[in-house]
Amino acid sequence: MPTFTGSIDQELAQYSDLFMLIAALIYTGAFLMFALDIARSSVTIRRLEADLAAEQEAERAERSAQVRATASAGAGSSAAGSAGAGGFDAEGSGEAPGAVEASAEDLVDDEMTYTGIARPLANVAVALTILAALAHGFAVGARATAAGRVPWGNMYEFLTTGALVVAAVYLVSLLRKDLRFLGTFAVGLVVVMMTAATIGFPTPLGHLQPSLQSPWIVIHVSVAVFSMGLFTLTFAMSVLQLIQHRREAKRAAGMLSDTGGWQFMRMVPSAMALENRAYRINTIGFVTWTLTLIFGAIWAEEAWGRYWGWDTKEVWTFVVWVVYAGYLHARATRGWTGSRSAWLSIIGFACVIFNFTVVNTLFAGLHSYAGLPE
């Protein structure tokens, strides 16, 4: 593969590598902040509950003292006084635990709006993610400028660009809904992709293979990467949905007291809210993945003279489409809700990852674009 020797191109490529490393380090810091937010939030929730329980106990004691003072002053008959005190005790013993429980469950509603708790570490993590995305965007742009083409001609470029899209999709989603609870998953995957690109697929700047030198690469690959960004979010939501569903089932059966590791799940929306949000995003992702298939077929006809040839990459792209089509059909018409729909979404994402990693690197075919030495 010929490489570029121009001083400007080489300098841009070096800046790209430098800012890619800087972005990876900042993403790592954001990931750690999101993880610390989970730990600190669990402690904060326990403290809030303890404070609320103490306030309610003090309020009950004060009201009990007022009732006893009224009774001892002879206001009303002793029987009425006893009835009043007994009525209050029943009311107090019935309401206080319920009030504590409500406060624990009302930290987030199904619209993903939070109340009653501040999350400064999560805000720092979001700010770091934005800073990392800016550095990351510069690195990808510098690589593209130096190469004089789109920056996804091999696995290194695909992973780094894909990581940028995942981060961008997550940050844009934050503008609509408070998805800070997904930060550990989304940013964690970005860190994994950046690490894999740097360590596993380092590729020098070079020209595109002849079959990739087409305007369709911009359309086909960009839509595919955008779809992967959407599927990443729904994967994280589906995993949390399974955890939340199990927690809710245990709470309904009276088998669970929210302590220890379960505390953070009080800051995660209900399993149904997660499922509904994942379903909506997967619907968009399915449409864009369908376009990926269509654009890929058109490009294949231009490059190889046929729309479909059962190449390994083509087969697995179709497998991903079938899995998500089955997910949407099963949930919309067959009533596959709850854990079954979550597992279908997770299986679909596993197929996406297999398609973009194992198929690209281990299977021989017309789509062998990993950029690794033979």
Side-chain angles (χ1 to χ4, degrees), residues 299-320:
W299 187 9
E301 197 280 332
E302 179 186 282
W304 302 310
R306 87 291 188 280
Y307 289 99
W308 189 265
W310 297 103
D311 184 73
T312 306
K313 185 74 171 180
E314 296 170 345
V315 170
W316 273 98
T317 301
F318 181 67
V319 167
V320 172

Side-chain angles (χ1 to χ4, degrees), residues 10-30:
Q10 289 298 327
E11 186 175 352
L12 278 175
Q14 291 173 3
Y15 275 117
S16 174
D17 294 339
L18 174 61
F19 275 83
M20 205 73 75
L21 176 61
I22 292 173
L25 293 175
I26 301 176
Y27 280 130
T28 302

Side-chain angles (χ1 to χ4, degrees), residues 82-310:
S82 299
F88 167 73
D89 289 340
E91 180 185 7
S93 62
E95 286 184 358
V100 174
E101 191 66 29
S103 69
E105 296 301 322
D106 288 345
L107 292 173
V108 59
D109 59 22
D110 285 352
E111 293 300 318
M112 303 181 185
T113 301
Y114 290 82
T115 57
I117 186 169
R119 301 180 61 185
L121 289 179
N123 294 336
V124 172
V126 171
L128 287 175
T129 304
I130 294 173
L131 181 61
L134 292 175
H136 194 172
F138 174 82
V140 171
R143 176 91 176 189
T145 303
R149 56 172 174 78
V150 291
W152 46 70
N154 48 64
M155 279 296 291
Y156 171 83
E157 295 176 354
F158 180 82
L159 282 171
T160 53
T161 303
L164 177 61
V165 171
V166 170
V169 168
Y170 174 66
L171 291 173
V172 172
S173 299
L174 281 174
L175 298 177
R176 295 181 56 84
K177 294 293 181 181
D178 191 346
L179 301 180
R180 288 177 294 173
F181 63 90
L182 290 179
T184 306
F185 288 86
V187 178
L189 181 61
V190 170
V191 172
V192 170
M193 294 174 71
M194 298 284 282
T195 303
T198 304
I199 297 177
F201 305 99
T203 307
L205 198 64
H207 293 287
L208 287 175
Q209 297 183 24
S211 60
L212 292 177
Q213 296 175 9
S214 168
W216 282 105
I217 189 175
V218 179
I219 303 172
H220 172 69
V221 180
S222 60
V223 174
V225 174
F226 176 70
S227 302
M228 188 184 71
L230 296 178
F231 291 146
T232 300
L233 290 184
T234 59
F235 163 74
M237 290 182 182
S238 296
V239 171
L240 287 175
Q241 177 191 336
L242 291 175
I243 299 173
Q244 191 71 293
H245 177 76
R246 181 183 178 188
R247 169 180 173 266
E248 290 171 354
K250 286 191 173 184
R251 287 183 65 83
M255 299 170 57
L256 176 67
S257 175
D258 278 327
T259 58
W262 292 103
Q263 290 286 349
F264 174 73
M265 294 306 296
R266 290 179 172 174
M267 300 177 61
V268 176
S270 67
M272 182 57 68
L274 290 170
E275 180 181 348
N276 290 337
R277 182 62 54 179
Y279 176 73
R280 295 172 187 173
I281 298 176
N282 273 332
T283 301
I284 301 173
F286 176 74
V287 172
T288 55
W289 193 258
T290 302
L291 294 176
T292 299
L293 264 176
I294 295 172
F295 296 149
I298 296 173
W299 187 9
E301 197 280 332
E302 179 186 282
W304 302 310
R306 87 291 188 280
Y307 289 99
W308 189 265
W310 297 103

Side-chain angles (χ1 to χ4, degrees), residues 44-58 100:
T44 303
I45 292 171
R46 288 195 292 269
R47 186 176 66 249
L48 289 175
E49 291 177 357
D51 292 343
L52 180 60
E55 292 176 4
Q56 291 176 337
E57 182 62 31
V100 174

Side-chain angles (χ1 to χ4, degrees), residues 329-351:
H329 175 75
R331 192 183 184 280
T333 64
R334 305 296 298 175
W336 273 42
T337 58
S339 299
R340 291 186 294 184
S341 69
W343 277 114
L344 277 177
S345 179
I346 291 172
I347 291 172
F349 184 73
C351 292

